[in-house]
Amino acid sequence: MESLLLDKKLKHITNLILEKKEEFSKQKKYEEKDIQQQLEPWRVHLIQIYADSVSTNDTKNFEVLEEWGREVANLLVVLQLPLDVALEEISYYRNVIGEIIKEEAKAETFTFDAFYQVISRFNVVVDKAVHWVSKSYMTDFANKIQSARYAIDELSIPVVRITKEIGVIPLVGDLDTNRAQILMENALQHGSDYKLNWLIIDLSAVPIIDTMVADQLFKVVAALKLIGIEVVLSGIRSEIALTMVQLGVKLNDIVTFNSLYGALDYANSRRQ
């Protein structure tokens, strides 16, 4: 009987919160009206979850909360807002809803055990909200950074068409495994799209040529040869040549030049 009476009182608190959820969602203000408008729908959703947690101890609440966390994190990343915004919102509505729970518990003369049970369940939901939005935000942010890095790397390895049959890839900076993969993809795709017969890979701005870099270049050259594109390496400076000799790196069957001009002249002469 006491359990049924408590459930009834808790349902009353849930309904009380839900009746005011639209009002609550507009309480916290931001200077940017556009951001304010976009935040309000997920505030309403959060208040709904908080309200339901008062009267139900259902694992479905956590599933809904996880989905809410992903949606909020995605919105923050799109709006380029820091994670602090969501954490402040979660904390703000913890206090708003917590105050209602406290006042209603006093009015309904809850026992200490009953109040502790309700507030503990509510706090677990709030903690889960912090957990899911933080985890989702960091995942989305990391993915966005990775995508941006890939886009930058791709733009830094362009295929420049010099003539109808000759293209140049001017490499700048270190050539790691990731950039080598992009080099492979760009060279094959654009070389095929442009119907090139010759592709010059210019290494003038690559600071170091070691065995790893040489191995990656061998793979790119071999792949291009399979689709009928001859490769010439240019920009092999004296210090790079010395390092390669000391490391025992041999560019077998690959034509090399110390300047881009020499490579272009060679490709033109072989084309004619």
Side-chain angles (χ1 to χ4, degrees), residues 94-270:
R94 176 209 287 263
N95 295 334
V96 171
I97 306 303
E99 190 66 24
I100 292 176
I101 295 173
K102 183 186 76 172
E103 293 302 321
E104 289 299 312
K106 285 166 61 178
E108 296 292 341
T109 62
F110 277 29
T111 64
F112 177 80
D113 287 343
F115 178 72
Y116 180 78
Q117 176 186 338
V118 175
I119 208 68
S120 295
R121 189 162 62 203
F122 174 63
N123 282 330
V124 167
V125 170
V126 175
D127 291 341
K128 286 289 184 182
V130 171
H131 169 77
W132 282 117
V133 76
S134 300
K135 181 178 179 180
S136 298
Y137 181 87
M138 295 309 297
T139 300
D140 285 355
F141 189 75
N143 289 339
K144 187 174 182 181
I145 292 296
Q146 184 62 32
S147 296
R149 183 178 292 119
Y150 185 88
I152 291 170
D153 284 342
E154 188 169 18
L155 290 172
S156 71
I157 307 178
V159 177
V160 182
R161 192 172 187 177
I162 303 298
T163 69
K164 183 177 179 181
E165 299 177 7
I166 302 173
V168 176
I169 299 181
L171 294 178
V172 178
D174 295 331
L175 186 65
D176 57 18
T177 304
N178 182 56
R179 294 193 75 211
Q181 181 61 36
I182 297 173
L183 169 61
M184 175 82 79
E185 293 171 1
N186 283 4
L188 289 172
Q189 180 183 335
H190 295 299
S192 179
D193 291 344
Y194 296 155
K195 295 181 172 55
L196 299 177
N197 291 329
W198 292 86
L199 190 57
I200 301 169
I201 300 177
D202 185 61
L203 306 172
S204 300
V206 176
I208 298 174
I209 299 288
D210 56 20
T211 51
M212 188 278 290
V213 172
D215 182 60
Q216 298 295 341
L217 288 173
F218 290 149
K219 291 177 180 177
V220 173
V221 171
L224 288 168
K225 281 188 175 182
L226 287 175
I227 62 172
I229 298 177
E230 294 295 327
V231 178
V232 178
L233 298 184
S234 66
I236 306 293
R237 306 184 305 278
S238 56
E239 62 271 24
I240 294 294
L242 179 61
T243 301
M244 292 173 69
V245 169
Q246 291 173 341
L247 291 172
V249 175
K250 296 179 180 180
L251 300 177
N252 296 327
D253 301 323
I254 301 178
V255 179
T256 64
F257 289 87
N258 65 351
S259 69
L260 179 59
Y261 172 80
L264 281 169
D265 188 51
Y266 172 81
N268 270 313
S269 66
R270 291 297 299 271

